[in-house]
Amino acid sequence: MTIAITGATGQLGRIVVEKLKEKLPAGEIVALARNPERAGDLGVEARRFDYDRPETLAPGLAGVDTLLLISSSEVGKRGPQHTAIVAAARQAGVGRIVYTSLLRADTTPLSLGTEHAETERAIAASGIPHTFLRNGWYLENYAASVQGALAHGTLIGAAGEGRIAAASRADYADAAVAVLLGTGHDGKTYELAGDTGFTLAELAAEVSRQAGRDIPYRNLPQADHAAALAGAGVPAPFAEMLAAWDIDIANGALFDDGHQLSRLIGRPTTGLADGVKALIG
Ligand SMILES: NC(=O)c1ccc[n+]([C@@H]2O[C@H](COP(=O)([O-])OP(=O)(O)OC[C@H]3O[C@@H](n4cnc5c(N)ncnc54)[C@H](OP(=O)(O)O)[C@@H]3O)[C@@H](O)[C@H]2O)c1
């Protein structure tokens, strides 16, 4: 059996490769990378796989039985990138695709959902047996805002009372490994999220507890939040996106209490206290 992983030099991809190596001979794992020279430390075969160079795609998938398609990080380009990867998978005779999508990709108000839903449709239309791992937010997404809160004494956001059922990258990586190595997952869509949601006020309270000083949460109007992020050096278009996502979060876009992630990985997901501990370092 050969399992290939896209984005293998990325943060999630690296964890998946490491976890797969604990359960499979390294010779059965292929790291697909835009720059294979950055994959040398992974200890598995690395193949060039650049979404913007379509000629690298089908050859990169030669002999691959199962493909873990970790979504591209190039927001706005992912529809055509992923569609080209799915076409290459068909051409190469890949037997199965596992795709890291977004929580409730087909109905989410998050702008990110459009490209994920488009990718899910392309995979479904390909006829290749598949599983969708609809990942919720990473706890690690809060690294910058927690560092900002420690520096300035206030955690800012615009998500109001919205609950965020985040989990760690390691949790989502364990789910990917469980599905890649397990059976009975074809045709399934898993809504993956942390066991316990938290509000940004609860995040601030946990940061305060661990830092040993009071760091309150300040909820801002969307435009003020975007301006504050831009003022802190976040590129303006990304600051606008982050602020808009917080409004979606306020409306419940990242809350889920289905516990499908902990069921898949056979353990509780990483909680808020451990997540904050990892962020504070
Ligand atoms: N659920 C969440 O909260 C959340 C948060 C952030 C991102 N995401 C999504 O989850 C994915 C994995 O997360 P992550 O933290 O591992 O992200 P990441 O560290 O940014 O990794 C993204 C991977 O995509 C690869 N990539 C981007 N453009 C490419 C191209 N043109 N050709 C080939 N490879 C390309 C990158 O290659 P290089 O290593 O060469 O840069 C990298 O390996 C992200 O890409 C994004 O779609 C989810």
Side-chain angles (χ1 to χ4, degrees):
M1 176 170 68
T2 300
I3 297 179
I5 299 102
T6 70
T9 48
Q11 298 166 90
L12 180 65
R14 283 185 172 278
I15 305 173
V16 171
V17 170
E18 289 307 326
K19 287 177 180 287
L20 277 177
K21 276 166 57 184
E22 291 166 14
K23 307 209 169 185
L24 273 185
E28 296 185 20
I29 304 166
V30 172
L32 300 171
R34 170 162 52 185
N35 298 305
E37 52 282 8
R38 287 193 54 227
D41 58 322
L42 288 174
V44 300
E45 181 192 350
R47 297 184 187 168
R48 184 169 303 284
F49 200 75
D50 185 338
Y51 311 151
D52 295 329
R53 294 178 52 204
E55 72 279 8
T56 65
L57 300 181
L61 295 172
V64 169
D65 301 302
T66 298
L67 172 65
L68 174 63
L69 173 49
I70 292 183
S71 52
S72 166
S73 48
E74 299 185 312
V75 174
K77 288 172 68 178
R78 299 189 291 187
Q81 288 179 337
H82 294 170
T83 304
I85 295 168
V86 174
R90 271 199 68 168
Q91 197 184 328
V94 168
R96 185 175 165 230
I97 297 179
V98 178
Y99 173 60
T100 66
S101 184
L102 174 70
L103 191 67
R104 297 186 289 273
D106 51 346
T107 58
T108 183
L110 289 161
S111 57
L112 294 166
T114 312
E115 292 175 307
H116 286 293
E118 181 182 348
T119 305
E120 289 188 359
R121 285 195 298 273
I123 293 171
S126 75
I128 300 173
H130 56 270
T131 308
F132 297 144
L133 302 175
R134 289 182 168 171
N135 292 351
W137 241 215
Y138 301 152
L139 281 163
E140 291 89 342
N141 290 352
Y142 290 99
S145 46
V146 165
Q147 289 308 326
L150 289 169
H152 302 294
T154 314
L155 180 80
I156 61 163
E161 294 296 308
R163 298 194 77 77
I164 303 154
S168 67
R169 280 194 185 89
D171 296 335
Y172 295 113
D174 274 337
V177 169
V179 167
L180 288 169
L181 301 183
T183 55
H185 300 296
D186 287 354
K188 298 255 173 74
T189 295
Y190 295 106
E191 305 287 354
L192 301 182
D195 287 330
T196 46
F198 54 86
T199 63
L200 291 183
E202 288 167 1
L203 173 62
E206 183 57 31
V207 173
S208 302
R209 192 182 70 79
Q210 294 194 24
R213 59 198 160 94
D214 188 30
I215 299 175
Y217 173 60
R218 185 153 161 245
N219 199 60
L220 300 171
Q222 180 179 348
D224 293 1
H225 184 211
L229 292 172
V234 178
F238 189 50
E240 296 286 346
M241 267 196 259
L242 288 169
W245 296 341
D246 258 20
I247 301 304
D248 297 328
I249 291 171
N251 292 322
L254 288 175
F255 181 66
D256 180 84
D257 60 359
H259 300 273
Q260 294 189 34
L261 177 52
S262 50
R263 273 206 295 279
L264 262 186
I265 65 182
R267 61 169 174 80
T269 62
T270 306
L272 180 59
D274 286 338
V276 168
K277 194 169 162 196
L279 294 184
I280 289 182

